[in-house]
């Protein structure tokens, strides 16, 4: 087979420069003309599609960029933390199981040992799992850039530009009677992008009525999409209320693709929203 | 069986191909070219997808083969889709007659059956 069959001719490409800074400050200087390299999974897929970078700055190894710690009432996850380190992380599993499950639901174990949380978010890919859970949780991320440091919701990932680096992701401390859940529906059953993915967060008041309910739906146009449920707060949890959550989720716009038709996906979004809400409510009640 | 490990491997491979044909492998064309020219959207069965298989052979004498031998190849692929279609029909009462048998086709089949029941 001649190399012309490939989308690019490897012989004609200059090699990519790999820069390995020792500190975050050094990395920020290097990022002016280069792209950050976390686990390299997204960059490898892009390279196969013919998009090559001139220079990459390795960032996942930097001090203070990986691990899970607390600042005040927030749980902070370093953006260089690998997804495999999050799926069983005790603090996360206890406080926000939806986030741990979403991290653990990505691709295969081998890929999760590479992918960083920051890289997964920065890819701004509507089919990814962690951004859906983080959207429901109401997580924020710290972005360091040429103009300084800023904090934005993780759903504002489109604002990450050239020279910017996501340094951490922050989750609020969960309320006492709060539960969360993540549901991912796969058509093959193993190792693939979600056909449908939904995250739910439910908080119960002392009277067992809903104090808060948030649902985010992924793998849809403009996803993750937060579903408007504010008017349901204060109501007692019932089958009718859960069905209403599902109905509203089903109004989003999934895409026709090799996995399923958009019409079928809407039905499944309705179903998996109900499952996620039920689990989140059950977990809230058990706390 | 002249070479049991090789024969078992042939049958396991054929069943894997049959499962892919029956359940996951969809081939779409547009303007004469495949629309999913990569294994990220064209879904083959992977190790995580495969069930545990227990292969047993029935010895026979094939008069047209040398010394009664018979080749083992993709023959084990053939029955897999129809076995699964029958299993689905037995489980949920809907027979899917087009491959692959996806969750979506089963879902629409069950909806249609339910709607027919309601009309009656």
């Amino acid at each position: 087979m001649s190399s012309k069959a490939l989308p690019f001719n490897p012989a004609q490409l200059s090699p990519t420069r790999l820069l390995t800074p020792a500190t975050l400050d050094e990395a920020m200087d290097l990022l002016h003309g280069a792209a950050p390299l976390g686990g390299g999974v997204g960059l490898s897929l892009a390279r196969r599609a013919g998009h090559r970078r001139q220079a990459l700055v390795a960032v996942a190894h930097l001090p203070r960029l990986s691990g899970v710690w607390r600042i005040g009432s927030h749980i902070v996850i370093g953006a260089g933390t690998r997804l495999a380190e999050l799926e069983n992380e005790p603090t996360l599993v206890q406080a926000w199981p939806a986030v741990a499950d979403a991290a653990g639901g990505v691709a295969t174990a081998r890929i999760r040992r590479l992918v960083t949380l920051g890289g997964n978010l920065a890819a701004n890919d509507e089919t990814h799992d962690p951004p859906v859970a983080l959207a429901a949780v109401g997580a924020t991320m710290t972005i360091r850039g040429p103009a300084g440091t800023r904090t934005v919701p993780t759903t504002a990932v489109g604002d990450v530009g050239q020279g910017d680096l996501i340094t951490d992701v922050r989750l609020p401390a969960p309320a006492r009677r709060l539960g969360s859940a993540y549901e991912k529906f796969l058509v093959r059953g193993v190792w693939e992008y979600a056909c449908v993915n939904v995250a739910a967060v439910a908080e119960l008041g002392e009277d067992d009525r809903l104090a808060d309910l948030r649902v985010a739906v992924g793998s849809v146009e403009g996803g993750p999409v937060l579903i408007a449920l504010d008017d349901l707060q204060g109501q007692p949890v019932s089958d009718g209320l859960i069905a209403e959550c599902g109905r509203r989720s089903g109004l989003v716009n999934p895409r026709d693709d090799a996995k399923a038709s958009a019409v079928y996906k809407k039905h499944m979004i309705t179903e998996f929203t109900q499952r996620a809400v039920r689990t989140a409510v059950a977990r809230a009640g058990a706390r | 069986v002249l070479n049991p490990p090789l024969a078992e491997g042939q049958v396991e491979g054929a069943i894997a191909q049959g499962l892919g044909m029956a359940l996951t492998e969809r081939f779409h064309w547009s303007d004469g070219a495949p629309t999913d020219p990569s294994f990220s959207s064209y879904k083959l069965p992977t190790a995580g997808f495969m069930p545990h298989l227990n292969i047993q052979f029935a010895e026979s004498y094939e008069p047209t083969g040398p010394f009664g031998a018979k080749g083992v190849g993709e023959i084990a692929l053939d029955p897999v889709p129809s076995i699964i279609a029958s299993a689905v029909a037995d489980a949920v009462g809907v027979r899917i007659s087009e491959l692959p048998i996806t969750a979506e086709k089963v879902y629409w089949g069950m909806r249609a059956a339910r709607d027919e029941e309601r009309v009656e």
Side-chain angles (χ1 to χ4, degrees):
Chain A
M1 192 173 92
S2 85
S3 62
K4 278 181 186 162
L6 294 170
F8 57 92
N9 183 346
Q12 287 174 354
L13 289 171
S14 57
T16 300
R17 278 188 305 141
L18 176 64
L19 309 167
T20 52
T23 65
L24 186 54
D25 288 338
E26 208 182 311
M28 295 313 299
D29 286 340
L30 294 171
L31 276 173
H32 285 301
L37 169 67
V41 173
L43 290 166
S44 298
L45 293 172
R47 190 181 56 189
R48 198 172 299 168
H51 306 294
R52 297 263 300 195
R53 301 285 195 159
Q54 297 283 306
L56 297 174
V57 182
V59 293
H61 66 288
L62 292 173
R64 299 297 283 170
L65 224 66
S66 73
V68 178
W69 62 95
R70 282 178 188 272
I71 295 180
S73 64
H74 280 80
I75 299 166
V76 184
I77 306 171
T81 314
R82 316 284 173 171
L83 297 184
E85 295 166 48
L86 296 177
E87 55 188 292
N88 294 314
E89 209 287 323
T91 309
L92 211 54
V93 169
Q94 201 273 329
W96 292 110
V99 176
D101 288 350
V106 171
T108 63
R110 204 170 64 156
I111 292 171
R112 291 194 294 276
R113 280 195 285 274
L114 283 173
V115 173
T116 61
L117 184 62
N120 188 269
L121 266 175
N124 197 9
D125 187 325
E126 65 193 26
T127 64
H128 283 182
D129 300 279
V132 180
L134 294 173
V137 165
T140 59
M141 58 186 171
T142 308
I143 301 173
R144 223 177 120 173
T149 301
R150 59 194 195 273
T151 302
V152 298
T154 55
T155 46
V157 72
D159 294 349
V160 179
Q162 175 65 44
D164 281 342
L165 183 69
I166 302 172
T167 55
D168 63 53
V169 171
R170 299 182 182 213
L171 317 177
R176 197 180 69 77
R177 298 191 74 205
L178 182 141
S180 67
Y182 182 72
E183 289 283 349
K184 180 178 187 180
F185 172 50
L186 303 169
V187 287
R188 178 171 63 175
V190 293
W191 187 8
E192 59 186 342
Y193 289 109
C195 176
V196 160
N197 47 351
V198 180
V201 172
E203 186 190 341
L204 297 176
E206 293 309 322
D207 54 0
D208 277 350
R209 286 168 184 267
L210 272 180
D212 196 9
L213 179 62
R214 297 191 297 272
V215 168
V217 180
S219 306
V220 295
E221 260 179 59
V225 170
L226 279 161
I227 308 302
L229 302 168
D230 282 352
D231 56 307
L232 302 181
Q233 322 293 6
Q235 294 195 22
V237 178
S238 65
D239 288 348
L241 178 121
I242 291 169
E244 176 61 13
C245 293
R247 189 192 68 77
R248 292 192 194 179
S249 278
L251 300 176
V252 295
N253 293 311
R255 300 169 196 276
D256 282 313
D257 61 21
K259 293 188 280 289
S261 71
V263 185
Y264 173 73
K265 286 184 187 181
K266 283 161 91 80
H267 285 263
M268 291 304 110
I269 288 168
T270 295
E271 170 61 29
F272 283 88
T273 294
Q274 295 184 38
R275 293 187 194 187
V277 170
R278 267 181 217 288
T279 305
V281 166
R283 284 176 177 167
R287 287 165 85 106
Chain B
V1 179
L2 294 179
N3 188 333
L6 197 63
E8 281 174 27
Q10 281 288 323
V11 174
E12 286 175 2
I15 291 173
Q17 286 187 317
L19 285 172
M21 183 182 175
L23 295 171
T24 65
E25 294 179 43
R26 267 183 276 198
F27 203 74
H28 299 289
W29 285 271
S30 176
D31 296 328
T35 55
D36 306 312
S38 100
F39 290 127
S40 64
S41 49
Y42 183 84
K43 296 294 182 184
L44 294 167
T46 64
F49 177 88
M50 286 300 290
H52 178 74
L53 300 175
N54 179 6
I55 311 294
Q56 301 285 334
F57 292 99
E59 300 271 352
S60 68
Y61 190 92
E62 173 54 48
T64 61
F67 309 108
K70 182 177 171 59
V72 176
E74 290 85 353
I75 191 72
L77 188 160
D78 297 342
V80 177
S82 59
I83 289 169
I84 291 178
S86 296
V88 168
D90 185 49
V92 299
V94 174
R95 179 160 286 275
I96 308 297
S97 53
E98 176 200 276
L99 297 178
I101 303 162
T102 61
E104 175 165 8
K105 288 176 191 167
V106 175
Y107 178 77
W108 294 127
M110 288 172 73
R111 296 260 303 197
R114 190 192 65 184
D115 291 346
E116 262 173 42
E117 239 171 58
R118 278 189 184 166
V119 171
E120 284 163 16

